[in-house]
Amino acid sequence: MTATTTRPPRTDDALPPVYRPLPSWVLPVLGAAAVLLALGLRALLGSGPVLTVVFAVVLFTIMVNVVSRRVEGQRRAADRTVTAVVSAMFAAAMVPLLSLVYTVVGRGSARFDLDFFTLTMRNVVGEGGGAQHAILGTLIITGLATLISVPIGMMTAIYLVEYGRGKLARNVTFLVDVMTGIPSIVAGLFAYALFVLFFGPGVRFGIGGAVALSVLMVPVVVRAVEEMLKLVPAELREASYALGVPKWRTILKVVLPAAAAGIATGITLAVARVIGETAPLLLIVGTTSSLNLDPFNGRMATLPVFTFYSFFTPGANPQPDLDRAWTAALVLMLIVLGLNLGARLIAKAFAPKGGR
Amino acid sequence: MTAPTPTTGRTPEVPPPGEPARPRSRPAQRLGDRVFSGLSTAAGVAILVVLAGVALFLIIESIPVLGASAEQIDGDGGFFSYLAPLLFGTVLVAVLALLFATPLAIGIALFISHYAPRRVARTLGYLTDLLAAIPSVIYGLWGATVLAPYVVPSYEWLAENLGFIPFFAGPASATGRTILTAAVVLAVMILPIMAAINREVFLQTPALHEEAALALGATRWEMIKMSVIPYGKSGVIGGAMLGLGRALGETIAVLLVLSASGGISFNLIGQANPPTIPSNIAAQFAEATGLDVNVLVATGLVLFLLTFAVNFAARAVIARRAEFDGASG
């Protein structure tokens, strides 16, 4: 490459002898030029808004590369190009996610009223009605799943950290990993296949959903609690043993309290992970339009399944059903985000500072 | 106090670097100890039992399918010709989603870990974690309502101008609810979790490696190429495999977005799309009776084995990375 300026010629793989960075006004000017060019292309080709932004970003990246190569050399140019590409990728990935949040909030607010939380869908055709039955059903089934998963998950984590050695512990660790990857629909099929043996074909009830959700929740609880228990310093245990405290009391009175905040965070996140599960509940719990608070008897409505059916099979006049579906989605999203923020707050209140 | 014995046996797959040696001292054994250790061991064994139970009950419910004649199963050619388009659709949509999501996830992770200002990065990290928690039914609603109508003109353009490529052979779907749309929705869904895994791996790059590269005069990109990428490579592969496992098992989003009516076809934007195993189960299960239920459970068993294999491979890759860490650090 031959330089047209008075600077001495240089090879491509070395920095110039005296490194001169791009003046700070160059990037904004290039950005403005790229936007103008993209707008010009838009007028010329009639491209949509998304394509225009893509053009602008691509043009900007190319121009930065060319200018930087001329002034700063090949290596700096590559660095600037990658910076532009990585930032653009991040922005591109945020677009659908922001669109999702915007859509759910926008469409969900239409029916976000008191009725939605106090009425059921019993004898409701068309407008009106609410999702009280579904909200309560979700709380009952998720609560039962938590009641099943937390003791099993915590005891398994205690086993792995405090007791487990050898082949059994290795296998349990491995299988917990495998369980993390079980598709949610397979968990639903498992619950169905299990209860159909006792109750015959076509079985549907809430506790089956709780069992299916537990299959998904236990590995998450195990992983979270295990990580937290490992963080408890060995000195605390040693001090307790030195005072003659038996191991089980050491675990109950020293180790678990020391890890309590982290465990609470982990369990909250695990609840958030399963509360939005639709597929297993679709198979084993079904849905209903009335309030059913008995998880051992008959179908129950749940918020995710309510969302799904309202959207998937709306009535003859679809709009009220679609409105209810979006509001249910909004409530579900608020619950999940609330649980996540709650978990963060718990963690933040007790966490040591530092890291990112 | 008795001397601590070395902690070699417990979890050799993932030796956490820098973990202090845990005491294996033997305090007094009492009744409470025996009860407590018995309970916790029982919980560990319960995990084994549950997982064995999942496989066992699925197999029990699938057995009638083997004995059934070809005519009793939907379609003409028996179980395997029923399964073939389902399996094809499942793998196709998941692999496409992975193709879209992997580079973006790496980009997002690098942006958060090495490009964004530290304070912003922490917030962005929280944000991606929050997005990873949004339930799939909401992604499905969004895909069917917002994305599918939006992409219809692009599909028509593809069919007109690139129709000679089998993937884009026309006529384009008028609703936009095609394999390609479903793959994009799945990609958006697995993106946050994959980005979170990649970010964790990139952040774990030893600071000394990065500083050594910078001290030699490397630019930021050269530093990333020399220290971050080699260190994080197997973590990225493992994260991608986990994302693939999720995409394979995703039910509701695919069911809501994909208009499934066809068989095996590589046409990504047409009207006849193959269904996927989980979306087919969810769509058929409520009305299924008798042998149909067994057929659906059998396809579920196939899905279970498929995701098991993928996750197994992912764990193996990640475990190799753990060994690599142990050797180098």
Side-chain angles (χ1 to χ4, degrees), chain B residues 139-187:
Chain B
Y139 282 101
L141 255 60
W142 174 79
T145 312
V146 178
L147 185 68
Y150 188 80
V151 293
V152 169
S154 322
Y155 287 177
E156 279 162 1
W157 186 87
L158 281 174
E160 263 175 46
N161 297 289
L162 295 173
F164 56 89
I165 304 173
F167 294 137
F168 305 128
S173 158
T175 57
R177 300 167 73 145
T178 69
I179 283 279
L180 191 57
T181 314
V184 171
V185 172
L186 282 189

Side-chain angles (χ1 to χ4, degrees), chain B residues 16-48:
Chain B
E19 193 195 353
R22 194 165 292 115
R24 290 293 178 212
S25 45
R26 297 241 175 270
Q29 284 279 328
R30 304 188 192 166
L31 180 66
D33 271 328
R34 282 197 289 276
V35 171
F36 199 72
S37 79
L39 274 179
S40 68
T41 312
V45 173
I47 301 269
L48 302 181

Side-chain angles (χ1 to χ4, degrees), chain A residues 261-331:
Chain A
I263 292 174
T265 306
I267 290 173
T268 315
L269 288 176
V271 172
R273 156 102 170 70
V274 298
I275 203 167
E277 282 295 347
T278 317
L281 303 181
L282 203 62
L283 300 193
I284 183 69
V285 184
T287 190
T288 169
S289 57
S290 330
L291 188 65
N292 174 14
L293 297 179
D294 181 2
F296 295 95
N297 188 14
R299 295 161 185 262
M300 281 175 94
T302 50
L303 210 43
V305 178
F306 177 82
T307 311
F308 169 74
Y309 272 122
S310 303
F311 186 85
F312 198 61
T313 53
N317 170 19
Q319 200 50 47
D321 271 316
L322 296 184
D323 285 344
R324 281 192 291 265
W326 283 105
T327 307
L330 176 61
V331 173

Side-chain angles (χ1 to χ4, degrees), chain A residues 161-162 227-241 250 254-259, chain B residues 18-23:
Chain A
V161 176
E162 306 288 340
E227 291 305 316
M228 288 306 134
L229 293 183
K230 278 184 188 167
L231 290 178
V232 176
E235 286 81 356
L236 282 183
R237 297 185 180 86
E238 286 163 7
S240 176
Y241 297 155
T250 303
V254 176
V255 178
L256 286 181
Chain B
E19 193 195 353
R22 194 165 292 115

Side-chain angles (χ1 to χ4, degrees), chain A residues 173 177 223 230, chain B residues 10-17 19 318-319 322-323:
Chain A
T173 305
D177 279 345
R223 274 284 157 270
K230 278 184 188 167
Chain B
R10 202 174 45 81
T11 50
E13 298 92 351
V14 200
E19 193 195 353
I318 293 174
E323 273 169 38

Side-chain angles (χ1 to χ4, degrees), chain A:
Chain A
M1 160 175 166
T2 52
T4 51
T5 56
T6 53
R7 278 183 283 113
R10 56 174 186 264
T11 51
D12 268 357
D13 55 347
L15 290 173
V18 179
Y19 167 59
R20 255 168 288 176
L22 278 182
S24 58
W25 54 265
V26 170
L27 289 185
V29 166
L30 288 181
V35 169
L36 283 180
L37 273 174
L39 286 177
L41 273 176
R42 179 173 190 184
L44 211 64
L45 303 174
S47 51
V50 172
L51 210 55
T52 309
V53 174
V54 171
F55 278 148
V57 170
V58 171
L59 285 170
F60 176 73
T61 309
I62 294 174
M63 290 193 300
V64 165
N65 186 308
V66 170
V67 171
S68 168
R69 185 184 305 218
R70 211 102 177 112
V71 179
E72 300 177 301
Q74 175 74 46
R75 291 176 49 209
R76 303 275 168 186
D79 187 43
R80 284 189 191 277
T81 309
V82 173
T83 305
V85 168
V86 165
S87 310
M89 279 172 123
F90 180 80
M94 285 298 122
V95 170
L97 298 169
L98 290 179
S99 157
L100 175 99
V101 174
Y102 173 80
T103 313
V104 172
V105 172
R107 296 189 184 230
S109 49
R111 272 302 318 275
F112 198 76
D113 48 26
L114 194 64
D115 276 359
F116 192 80
F117 295 93
T118 53
L119 297 179
T120 71
M121 288 302 293
R122 189 174 174 82
N123 297 331
V124 173
V125 178
E127 293 190 16
Q132 188 210 24
H133 58 313
I135 295 171
L136 290 176
T138 285
L139 293 182
I140 290 171
I141 290 178
T142 315
L144 282 172
T146 312
L147 279 183
I148 300 172
S149 312
V150 167
I152 296 181
M154 275 184 66
M155 289 311 277
T156 307
I158 289 173
Y159 167 74
L160 286 175
V161 176
E162 306 288 340
Y163 291 101
R165 260 162 293 173
K167 212 170 171 185
L168 179 62
R170 261 205 307 282
N171 283 330
V172 171
T173 305
F174 171 73
L175 289 178
V176 167
D177 279 345
V178 169
M179 261 177 106
T180 316
I182 289 186
S184 59
I185 189 118
V186 171
L189 283 177
F190 158 68
Y192 178 82
L194 171 69
F195 286 111
V196 91
L197 290 181
F198 303 110
F199 298 97
V203 57
R204 300 277 189 282
F205 52 17
I207 189 72
V211 168
L213 291 187
S214 300
V215 173
L216 300 170
M217 195 171 167
V218 163
V220 185
V221 175
V222 173
R223 274 284 157 270
V225 177
E226 197 186 352
E227 291 305 316
M228 288 306 134
L229 293 183
K230 278 184 188 167
L231 290 178
V232 176
E235 286 81 356
L236 282 183
R237 297 185 180 86
E238 286 163 7
S240 176
Y241 297 155
L243 291 171
V245 181
K247 186 164 183 172
W248 69 279
R249 280 187 73 86
T250 303
I251 294 170
L252 277 183
K253 298 280 178 184
V254 176
V255 178
L256 286 181
I263 292 174
T265 306
I267 290 173
T268 315
L269 288 176
V271 172
R273 156 102 170 70
V274 298
I275 203 167
E277 282 295 347
T278 317
L281 303 181
L282 203 62
L283 300 193
I284 183 69
V285 184
T287 190
T288 169
S289 57
S290 330
L291 188 65
N292 174 14
L293 297 179
D294 181 2
F296 295 95
N297 188 14
R299 295 161 185 262
M300 281 175 94
T302 50
L303 210 43
V305 178
F306 177 82
T307 311
F308 169 74
Y309 272 122
S310 303
F311 186 85
F312 198 61
T313 53
N317 170 19
Q319 200 50 47
D321 271 316
L322 296 184
D323 285 344
R324 281 192 291 265
W326 283 105
T327 307
L330 176 61
V331 173
L332 197 56
M333 197 165 86
L334 289 178
I335 292 176
V336 170
L337 297 189
L339 283 170
N340 272 275
L341 288 178
R344 294 257 175 254
L345 289 181
I346 298 172
K348 200 167 187 175
F350 295 91
K353 304 283 173 271
R356 56 170 160 167

